[in-house]
Amino acid sequence: MTAPGQNMKINGERLWDSIMEMAKIGPGIAGGNNRQTLTDEDAEGRALFQSWCEAAGLTMGLDEMGNMFARREGTDPDALPVYVGSHLDTQPTGGKYDGVLGVLAGLEIVRTLNDLDIKTRHPIVVTNWTNEEGTRFAPAMLSSAVFAGVLERDWAYGRVDAAGKRFGDELERIGWKGPEKVGDRKMHAFFELHIEQGPILEAEGKDIGVVTHGQGLRWIECTVTGKGQHTGSTPMYMRRNAGRGLARVTELVHEIALQYQPNAVGAIGHVDVYPNSRNIIPEKVVFTVDFRSHVLETLEAMVAELMETAPGLCADIGVKFDAQTVGFFDPPSFDETLVARVRNAADRLGYSHTDLISGAGHDACWINKVYPTTMVMCPCKDGLSHNEAEEITPGWASAGAEVLMHAVVETAEIVE
Ligand code: HGY
Ligand code: MN
Ligand code: MN
């Protein structure tokens, strides 16, 4: 006797077609996507997602941060909903699957339940979190952090991009600022399917990552100040080149991370040089150090070493080092009951799986602070992500979505 819904299968072709359809919006220049948050392309992607949700009979809620919540009713209207989703915004040179897979897999679950006329006691809400990437408006996972009460809405509204545009103004401009108070919604659970963005699953030949924990993150925005002078007529001994400070700190960050192997990573991905003129010695360089580890003590030790060592390295060459934390979250441990449901679903469905620590940050890391949360991961080719060549197979997408569906539906409780 099979348990109700035990043989549910998603429509893998429909999921893949939806991902490819979404990928047409905000195309990159090398086959990926550039659909950055709060751009016109983001607005277009949101509208397409909304149209699909409405076609699936869902009602859309929208909060003050532009977070989208597409609700499928349960039989018990008082039961807290099971949320499932991720993000539709991409990096400037992003792939087609980072975030999008998780949102559209949530939609595919609803589409499948509709096809099979399966009812659940708890409502199910498919979610798109605004500005997960944090590349245009730092920090990453901004709107899930506001939803979780970690960051203030008005502070988030005041974040500015490289052109000086404010988050709040851009959200209004694209017409996706909603009426709901952010964080008012209560959840029974939150699930997120995401590509691994690392090499482990593919290398081990595993279909599914059962995500038990995530790395914590620290984004330290550093400013090195020297003196802008003529690159031709200024004698070398007079120069105070902020660019040399960047070079020294870049090497320091790499060396610090190497000291804490195998549990630590560090790099500088964002750099703004001022005035960025070919014949002016850099007067100021602003850059962001990205440290990660799943061990909190390691994360804190790396930041401490940066703050102890960098000022002296810069002073030695006549430039000044200042820094402030602009992004942070501690290493999350996901909900053990939900993790077990994911693992059991993979087993039942015959998918190979391994427990995994998420190397990347996700909205689930913040929602995990306020509601029972977990993640499912699928492999990605060569572990490549945050690169337009990011690639997965339809089989990986379907396996991830199927395991996600069984864990979500078990949590939402099928009603006979
Ligand atoms: O930075 C991160 O880990 C996420 O991909 N935004
Ligand atoms: Mn992502
Ligand atoms: Mn990403």
Side-chain angles (χ1 to χ4, degrees), residues 37-68:
T37 196
L38 307 188
T39 58
D40 294 338
E41 293 76 15
D42 181 20
E44 202 185 328
R46 287 163 173 267
L48 177 61
F49 172 58
Q50 167 134 346
S51 69
W52 284 338
C53 289
E54 286 167 352
L58 305 183
T59 47
M60 186 64 75
L62 188 67
D63 75 13
E64 301 162 307
M65 289 296 289
N67 296 316
M68 299 172 76

PDB file of all heavy atoms in Angstrom, residues 37-68:
ATOM      1  N   THR A  37      18.956  42.902  -9.533  1.00  0.00           N
ATOM      2  CA  THR A  37      17.793  43.274  -8.739  1.00  0.00           C
ATOM      3  C   THR A  37      17.331  44.707  -9.021  1.00  0.00           C
ATOM      4  O   THR A  37      18.147  45.600  -9.255  1.00  0.00           O
ATOM      5  CB  THR A  37      18.112  43.127  -7.231  1.00  0.00           C
ATOM      6  OG1 THR A  37      16.897  43.126  -6.490  1.00  0.00           O
ATOM      7  CG2 THR A  37      19.005  44.229  -6.725  1.00  0.00           C
ATOM      8  N   LEU A  38      16.003  44.863  -9.089  1.00  0.00           N
ATOM      9  CA  LEU A  38      15.339  46.180  -9.220  1.00  0.00           C
ATOM     10  C   LEU A  38      15.679  46.889 -10.534  1.00  0.00           C
ATOM     11  O   LEU A  38      15.547  48.095 -10.646  1.00  0.00           O
ATOM     12  CB  LEU A  38      15.674  47.073  -8.005  1.00  0.00           C
ATOM     13  CG  LEU A  38      15.401  46.437  -6.638  1.00  0.00           C
ATOM     14  CD1 LEU A  38      15.568  47.474  -5.532  1.00  0.00           C
ATOM     15  CD2 LEU A  38      14.028  45.788  -6.561  1.00  0.00           C
ATOM     16  N   THR A  39      16.127  46.111 -11.514  1.00  0.00           N
ATOM     17  CA  THR A  39      16.281  46.667 -12.869  1.00  0.00           C
ATOM     18  C   THR A  39      14.989  46.390 -13.645  1.00  0.00           C
ATOM     19  O   THR A  39      14.132  45.618 -13.190  1.00  0.00           O
ATOM     20  CB  THR A  39      17.440  45.965 -13.608  1.00  0.00           C
ATOM     21  OG1 THR A  39      17.145  44.559 -13.643  1.00  0.00           O
ATOM     22  CG2 THR A  39      18.770  46.216 -12.913  1.00  0.00           C
ATOM     23  N   ASP A  40      14.881  46.962 -14.830  1.00  0.00           N
ATOM     24  CA  ASP A  40      13.700  46.690 -15.654  1.00  0.00           C
ATOM     25  C   ASP A  40      13.617  45.198 -16.003  1.00  0.00           C
ATOM     26  O   ASP A  40      12.522  44.628 -16.095  1.00  0.00           O
ATOM     27  CB  ASP A  40      13.758  47.531 -16.936  1.00  0.00           C
ATOM     28  CG  ASP A  40      13.649  49.037 -16.630  1.00  0.00           C
ATOM     29  OD1 ASP A  40      13.123  49.379 -15.539  1.00  0.00           O
ATOM     30  OD2 ASP A  40      14.122  49.851 -17.448  1.00  0.00           O
ATOM     31  N   GLU A  41      14.774  44.572 -16.140  1.00  0.00           N
ATOM     32  CA  GLU A  41      14.792  43.134 -16.449  1.00  0.00           C
ATOM     33  C   GLU A  41      14.236  42.335 -15.254  1.00  0.00           C
ATOM     34  O   GLU A  41      13.478  41.379 -15.425  1.00  0.00           O
ATOM     35  CB  GLU A  41      16.216  42.666 -16.756  1.00  0.00           C
ATOM     36  CG  GLU A  41      16.816  43.231 -18.040  1.00  0.00           C
ATOM     37  CD  GLU A  41      17.263  44.697 -17.889  1.00  0.00           C
ATOM     38  OE1 GLU A  41      17.377  45.188 -16.730  1.00  0.00           O
ATOM     39  OE2 GLU A  41      17.465  45.367 -18.929  1.00  0.00           O
ATOM     40  N   ASP A  42      14.598  42.753 -14.041  1.00  0.00           N
ATOM     41  CA  ASP A  42      14.051  42.095 -12.845  1.00  0.00           C
ATOM     42  C   ASP A  42      12.530  42.242 -12.856  1.00  0.00           C
ATOM     43  O   ASP A  42      11.787  41.277 -12.617  1.00  0.00           O
ATOM     44  CB  ASP A  42      14.659  42.742 -11.595  1.00  0.00           C
ATOM     45  CG  ASP A  42      14.162  42.109 -10.280  1.00  0.00           C
ATOM     46  OD1 ASP A  42      13.657  40.972 -10.303  1.00  0.00           O
ATOM     47  OD2 ASP A  42      14.278  42.765  -9.231  1.00  0.00           O
ATOM     48  N   ALA A  43      12.055  43.436 -13.165  1.00  0.00           N
ATOM     49  CA  ALA A  43      10.602  43.681 -13.193  1.00  0.00           C
ATOM     50  C   ALA A  43       9.924  42.768 -14.208  1.00  0.00           C
ATOM     51  O   ALA A  43       8.860  42.192 -13.953  1.00  0.00           O
ATOM     52  CB  ALA A  43      10.324  45.148 -13.525  1.00  0.00           C
ATOM     53  N   GLU A  44      10.583  42.592 -15.369  1.00  0.00           N
ATOM     54  CA  GLU A  44      10.011  41.732 -16.423  1.00  0.00           C
ATOM     55  C   GLU A  44       9.965  40.272 -15.958  1.00  0.00           C
ATOM     56  O   GLU A  44       8.976  39.564 -16.166  1.00  0.00           O
ATOM     57  CB  GLU A  44      10.888  41.872 -17.673  1.00  0.00           C
ATOM     58  CG  GLU A  44      10.201  41.503 -18.979  1.00  0.00           C
ATOM     59  CD  GLU A  44      11.179  41.557 -20.154  1.00  0.00           C
ATOM     60  OE1 GLU A  44      12.123  42.398 -20.123  1.00  0.00           O
ATOM     61  OE2 GLU A  44      11.009  40.736 -21.060  1.00  0.00           O
ATOM     62  N   GLY A  45      11.017  39.848 -15.275  1.00  0.00           N
ATOM     63  CA  GLY A  45      11.036  38.465 -14.768  1.00  0.00           C
ATOM     64  C   GLY A  45       9.975  38.245 -13.714  1.00  0.00           C
ATOM     65  O   GLY A  45       9.292  37.209 -13.684  1.00  0.00           O
ATOM     66  N   ARG A  46       9.786  39.243 -12.855  1.00  0.00           N
ATOM     67  CA  ARG A  46       8.743  39.164 -11.832  1.00  0.00           C
ATOM     68  C   ARG A  46       7.354  39.047 -12.473  1.00  0.00           C
ATOM     69  O   ARG A  46       6.497  38.262 -12.032  1.00  0.00           O
ATOM     70  CB  ARG A  46       8.788  40.420 -10.945  1.00  0.00           C
ATOM     71  CG  ARG A  46       9.959  40.481  -9.981  1.00  0.00           C
ATOM     72  CD  ARG A  46      10.144  41.895  -9.468  1.00  0.00           C
ATOM     73  NE  ARG A  46      11.165  41.964  -8.415  1.00  0.00           N
ATOM     74  CZ  ARG A  46      10.899  41.883  -7.103  1.00  0.00           C
ATOM     75  NH1 ARG A  46       9.660  41.724  -6.690  1.00  0.00           N
ATOM     76  NH2 ARG A  46      11.877  41.952  -6.202  1.00  0.00           N
ATOM     77  N   ALA A  47       7.137  39.838 -13.527  1.00  0.00           N
ATOM     78  CA  ALA A  47       5.818  39.823 -14.200  1.00  0.00           C
ATOM     79  C   ALA A  47       5.554  38.459 -14.829  1.00  0.00           C
ATOM     80  O   ALA A  47       4.439  37.924 -14.742  1.00  0.00           O
ATOM     81  CB  ALA A  47       5.772  40.929 -15.251  1.00  0.00           C
ATOM     82  N   LEU A  48       6.594  37.866 -15.416  1.00  0.00           N
ATOM     83  CA  LEU A  48       6.435  36.538 -16.021  1.00  0.00           C
ATOM     84  C   LEU A  48       6.118  35.514 -14.938  1.00  0.00           C
ATOM     85  O   LEU A  48       5.173  34.729 -15.038  1.00  0.00           O
ATOM     86  CB  LEU A  48       7.704  36.138 -16.762  1.00  0.00           C
ATOM     87  CG  LEU A  48       7.696  34.724 -17.383  1.00  0.00           C
ATOM     88  CD1 LEU A  48       6.578  34.588 -18.429  1.00  0.00           C
ATOM     89  CD2 LEU A  48       9.059  34.401 -18.007  1.00  0.00           C
ATOM     90  N   PHE A  49       6.846  35.578 -13.825  1.00  0.00           N
ATOM     91  CA  PHE A  49       6.603  34.646 -12.702  1.00  0.00           C
ATOM     92  C   PHE A  49       5.167  34.833 -12.193  1.00  0.00           C
ATOM     93  O   PHE A  49       4.422  33.868 -11.977  1.00  0.00           O
ATOM     94  CB  PHE A  49       7.619  34.890 -11.601  1.00  0.00           C
ATOM     95  CG  PHE A  49       7.370  34.129 -10.319  1.00  0.00           C
ATOM     96  CD1 PHE A  49       7.301  32.736 -10.311  1.00  0.00           C
ATOM     97  CD2 PHE A  49       7.187  34.805  -9.118  1.00  0.00           C
ATOM     98  CE1 PHE A  49       7.057  32.025  -9.132  1.00  0.00           C
ATOM     99  CE2 PHE A  49       6.938  34.113  -7.938  1.00  0.00           C
ATOM    100  CZ  PHE A  49       6.868  32.730  -7.951  1.00  0.00           C
ATOM    101  N   GLN A  50       4.752  36.084 -12.049  1.00  0.00           N
ATOM    102  CA  GLN A  50       3.385  36.363 -11.545  1.00  0.00           C
ATOM    103  C   GLN A  50       2.340  35.773 -12.483  1.00  0.00           C
ATOM    104  O   GLN A  50       1.370  35.158 -12.044  1.00  0.00           O
ATOM    105  CB  GLN A  50       3.171  37.875 -11.424  1.00  0.00           C
ATOM    106  CG  GLN A  50       1.714  38.270 -11.227  1.00  0.00           C
ATOM    107  CD  GLN A  50       1.493  39.295 -10.140  1.00  0.00           C
ATOM    108  OE1 GLN A  50       2.375  39.561  -9.339  1.00  0.00           O
ATOM    109  NE2 GLN A  50       0.313  39.875 -10.104  1.00  0.00           N
ATOM    110  N   SER A  51       2.581  35.908 -13.801  1.00  0.00           N
ATOM    111  CA  SER A  51       1.584  35.394 -14.771  1.00  0.00           C
ATOM    112  C   SER A  51       1.489  33.875 -14.657  1.00  0.00           C
ATOM    113  O   SER A  51       0.399  33.298 -14.706  1.00  0.00           O
ATOM    114  CB  SER A  51       1.967  35.804 -16.199  1.00  0.00           C
ATOM    115  OG  SER A  51       3.151  35.106 -16.604  1.00  0.00           O
ATOM    116  N   TRP A  52       2.613  33.202 -14.463  1.00  0.00           N
ATOM    117  CA  TRP A  52       2.601  31.741 -14.306  1.00  0.00           C
ATOM    118  C   TRP A  52       1.869  31.358 -13.025  1.00  0.00           C
ATOM    119  O   TRP A  52       1.109  30.393 -12.983  1.00  0.00           O
ATOM    120  CB  TRP A  52       4.023  31.196 -14.280  1.00  0.00           C
ATOM    121  CG  TRP A  52       4.693  31.150 -15.619  1.00  0.00           C
ATOM    122  CD1 TRP A  52       4.097  31.132 -16.853  1.00  0.00           C
ATOM    123  CD2 TRP A  52       6.097  31.102 -15.857  1.00  0.00           C
ATOM    124  NE1 TRP A  52       5.048  31.091 -17.824  1.00  0.00           N
ATOM    125  CE2 TRP A  52       6.290  31.059 -17.262  1.00  0.00           C
ATOM    126  CE3 TRP A  52       7.236  31.089 -15.037  1.00  0.00           C
ATOM    127  CZ2 TRP A  52       7.550  31.009 -17.859  1.00  0.00           C
ATOM    128  CZ3 TRP A  52       8.501  31.029 -15.615  1.00  0.00           C
ATOM    129  CH2 TRP A  52       8.645  30.993 -17.018  1.00  0.00           C
ATOM    130  N   CYS A  53       2.096  32.135 -11.959  1.00  0.00           N
ATOM    131  CA  CYS A  53       1.448  31.814 -10.675  1.00  0.00           C
ATOM    132  C   CYS A  53      -0.066  31.970 -10.804  1.00  0.00           C
ATOM    133  O   CYS A  53      -0.836  31.116 -10.354  1.00  0.00           O
ATOM    134  CB  CYS A  53       1.977  32.729  -9.579  1.00  0.00           C
ATOM    135  SG  CYS A  53       3.690  32.380  -9.114  1.00  0.00           S
ATOM    136  N   GLU A  54      -0.486  33.043 -11.448  1.00  0.00           N
ATOM    137  CA  GLU A  54      -1.931  33.266 -11.610  1.00  0.00           C
ATOM    138  C   GLU A  54      -2.554  32.157 -12.456  1.00  0.00           C
ATOM    139  O   GLU A  54      -3.627  31.648 -12.161  1.00  0.00           O
ATOM    140  CB  GLU A  54      -2.190  34.654 -12.199  1.00  0.00           C
ATOM    141  CG  GLU A  54      -1.946  35.735 -11.162  1.00  0.00           C
ATOM    142  CD  GLU A  54      -1.872  37.145 -11.750  1.00  0.00           C
ATOM    143  OE1 GLU A  54      -1.855  37.275 -12.995  1.00  0.00           O
ATOM    144  OE2 GLU A  54      -1.783  38.107 -10.947  1.00  0.00           O
ATOM    145  N   ALA A  55      -1.817  31.718 -13.491  1.00  0.00           N
ATOM    146  CA  ALA A  55      -2.323  30.628 -14.346  1.00  0.00           C
ATOM    147  C   ALA A  55      -2.453  29.330 -13.551  1.00  0.00           C
ATOM    148  O   ALA A  55      -3.264  28.459 -13.886  1.00  0.00           O
ATOM    149  CB  ALA A  55      -1.377  30.434 -15.525  1.00  0.00           C
ATOM    150  N   ALA A  56      -1.669  29.235 -12.460  1.00  0.00           N
ATOM    151  CA  ALA A  56      -1.733  28.018 -11.625  1.00  0.00           C
ATOM    152  C   ALA A  56      -2.716  28.199 -10.478  1.00  0.00           C
ATOM    153  O   ALA A  56      -2.761  27.392  -9.536  1.00  0.00           O
ATOM    154  CB  ALA A  56      -0.341  27.693 -11.083  1.00  0.00           C
ATOM    155  N   GLY A  57      -3.474  29.319 -10.521  1.00  0.00           N
ATOM    156  CA  GLY A  57      -4.523  29.536  -9.520  1.00  0.00           C
ATOM    157  C   GLY A  57      -4.031  30.057  -8.189  1.00  0.00           C
ATOM    158  O   GLY A  57      -4.717  29.967  -7.164  1.00  0.00           O
ATOM    159  N   LEU A  58      -2.822  30.618  -8.182  1.00  0.00           N
ATOM    160  CA  LEU A  58      -2.243  31.108  -6.920  1.00  0.00           C
ATOM    161  C   LEU A  58      -2.618  32.576  -6.711  1.00  0.00           C
ATOM    162  O   LEU A  58      -2.811  33.313  -7.667  1.00  0.00           O
ATOM    163  CB  LEU A  58      -0.713  30.961  -6.966  1.00  0.00           C
ATOM    164  CG  LEU A  58      -0.175  29.557  -7.279  1.00  0.00           C
ATOM    165  CD1 LEU A  58       1.345  29.555  -7.228  1.00  0.00           C
ATOM    166  CD2 LEU A  58      -0.737  28.534  -6.328  1.00  0.00           C
ATOM    167  N   THR A  59      -2.688  32.982  -5.451  1.00  0.00           N
ATOM    168  CA  THR A  59      -2.913  34.412  -5.181  1.00  0.00           C
ATOM    169  C   THR A  59      -1.583  35.007  -4.724  1.00  0.00           C
ATOM    170  O   THR A  59      -0.904  34.425  -3.864  1.00  0.00           O
ATOM    171  CB  THR A  59      -3.951  34.599  -4.055  1.00  0.00           C
ATOM    172  OG1 THR A  59      -3.612  33.724  -2.972  1.00  0.00           O
ATOM    173  CG2 THR A  59      -5.347  34.274  -4.549  1.00  0.00           C
ATOM    174  N   MET A  60      -1.224  36.163  -5.282  1.00  0.00           N
ATOM    175  CA  MET A  60       0.084  36.771  -5.054  1.00  0.00           C
ATOM    176  C   MET A  60       0.018  37.806  -3.936  1.00  0.00           C
ATOM    177  O   MET A  60      -0.823  38.696  -3.966  1.00  0.00           O
ATOM    178  CB  MET A  60       0.599  37.431  -6.341  1.00  0.00           C
ATOM    179  CG  MET A  60       2.014  37.970  -6.242  1.00  0.00           C
ATOM    180  SD  MET A  60       3.247  36.698  -5.959  1.00  0.00           S
ATOM    181  CE  MET A  60       3.337  35.976  -7.595  1.00  0.00           C
ATOM    182  N   GLY A  61       0.946  37.654  -2.967  1.00  0.00           N
ATOM    183  CA  GLY A  61       1.127  38.695  -1.955  1.00  0.00           C
ATOM    184  C   GLY A  61       2.476  39.363  -2.208  1.00  0.00           C
ATOM    185  O   GLY A  61       3.385  38.742  -2.771  1.00  0.00           O
ATOM    186  N   LEU A  62       2.584  40.630  -1.818  1.00  0.00           N
ATOM    187  CA  LEU A  62       3.814  41.394  -2.086  1.00  0.00           C
ATOM    188  C   LEU A  62       4.091  42.275  -0.879  1.00  0.00           C
ATOM    189  O   LEU A  62       3.203  42.999  -0.418  1.00  0.00           O
ATOM    190  CB  LEU A  62       3.596  42.271  -3.338  1.00  0.00           C
ATOM    191  CG  LEU A  62       4.791  43.003  -3.927  1.00  0.00           C
ATOM    192  CD1 LEU A  62       5.795  42.015  -4.515  1.00  0.00           C
ATOM    193  CD2 LEU A  62       4.323  43.995  -5.004  1.00  0.00           C
ATOM    194  N   ASP A  63       5.322  42.211  -0.334  1.00  0.00           N
ATOM    195  CA  ASP A  63       5.587  43.019   0.852  1.00  0.00           C
ATOM    196  C   ASP A  63       6.433  44.247   0.525  1.00  0.00           C
ATOM    197  O   ASP A  63       6.820  44.478  -0.635  1.00  0.00           O
ATOM    198  CB  ASP A  63       6.192  42.149   1.972  1.00  0.00           C
ATOM    199  CG  ASP A  63       7.650  41.786   1.730  1.00  0.00           C
ATOM    200  OD1 ASP A  63       8.289  42.380   0.837  1.00  0.00           O
ATOM    201  OD2 ASP A  63       8.162  40.891   2.442  1.00  0.00           O
ATOM    202  N   GLU A  64       6.761  45.004   1.562  1.00  0.00           N
ATOM    203  CA  GLU A  64       7.434  46.300   1.378  1.00  0.00           C
ATOM    204  C   GLU A  64       8.839  46.192   0.811  1.00  0.00           C
ATOM    205  O   GLU A  64       9.438  47.186   0.426  1.00  0.00           O
ATOM    206  CB  GLU A  64       7.536  47.004   2.738  1.00  0.00           C
ATOM    207  CG  GLU A  64       6.247  47.270   3.437  1.00  0.00           C
ATOM    208  CD  GLU A  64       6.491  47.551   4.917  1.00  0.00           C
ATOM    209  OE1 GLU A  64       7.153  46.713   5.587  1.00  0.00           O
ATOM    210  OE2 GLU A  64       6.051  48.623   5.391  1.00  0.00           O
ATOM    211  N   MET A  65       9.378  44.968   0.781  1.00  0.00           N
ATOM    212  CA  MET A  65      10.711  44.783   0.196  1.00  0.00           C
ATOM    213  C   MET A  65      10.610  44.162  -1.192  1.00  0.00           C
ATOM    214  O   MET A  65      11.612  43.788  -1.788  1.00  0.00           O
ATOM    215  CB  MET A  65      11.568  43.888   1.110  1.00  0.00           C
ATOM    216  CG  MET A  65      12.010  44.539   2.407  1.00  0.00           C
ATOM    217  SD  MET A  65      13.097  45.962   2.173  1.00  0.00           S
ATOM    218  CE  MET A  65      14.589  45.142   1.610  1.00  0.00           C
ATOM    219  N   GLY A  66       9.367  44.019  -1.679  1.00  0.00           N
ATOM    220  CA  GLY A  66       9.186  43.425  -3.005  1.00  0.00           C
ATOM    221  C   GLY A  66       9.239  41.911  -2.987  1.00  0.00           C
ATOM    222  O   GLY A  66       9.254  41.253  -4.025  1.00  0.00           O
ATOM    223  N   ASN A  67       9.279  41.311  -1.784  1.00  0.00           N
ATOM    224  CA  ASN A  67       9.235  39.841  -1.716  1.00  0.00           C
ATOM    225  C   ASN A  67       7.879  39.362  -2.223  1.00  0.00           C
ATOM    226  O   ASN A  67       6.842  39.910  -1.825  1.00  0.00           O
ATOM    227  CB  ASN A  67       9.445  39.373  -0.267  1.00  0.00           C
ATOM    228  CG  ASN A  67      10.832  39.758   0.249  1.00  0.00           C
ATOM    229  OD1 ASN A  67      11.847  39.604  -0.448  1.00  0.00           O
ATOM    230  ND2 ASN A  67      10.886  40.280   1.467  1.00  0.00           N
ATOM    231  N   MET A  68       7.892  38.329  -3.087  1.00  0.00           N
ATOM    232  CA  MET A  68       6.666  37.830  -3.735  1.00  0.00           C
ATOM    233  C   MET A  68       6.257  36.519  -3.093  1.00  0.00           C
ATOM    234  O   MET A  68       7.115  35.637  -2.897  1.00  0.00           O
ATOM    235  CB  MET A  68       6.904  37.627  -5.234  1.00  0.00           C
ATOM    236  CG  MET A  68       7.273  38.905  -5.977  1.00  0.00           C
ATOM    237  SD  MET A  68       7.779  38.566  -7.696  1.00  0.00           S
ATOM    238  CE  MET A  68       6.162  38.269  -8.449  1.00  0.00           C
TER     239      MET A  68
END
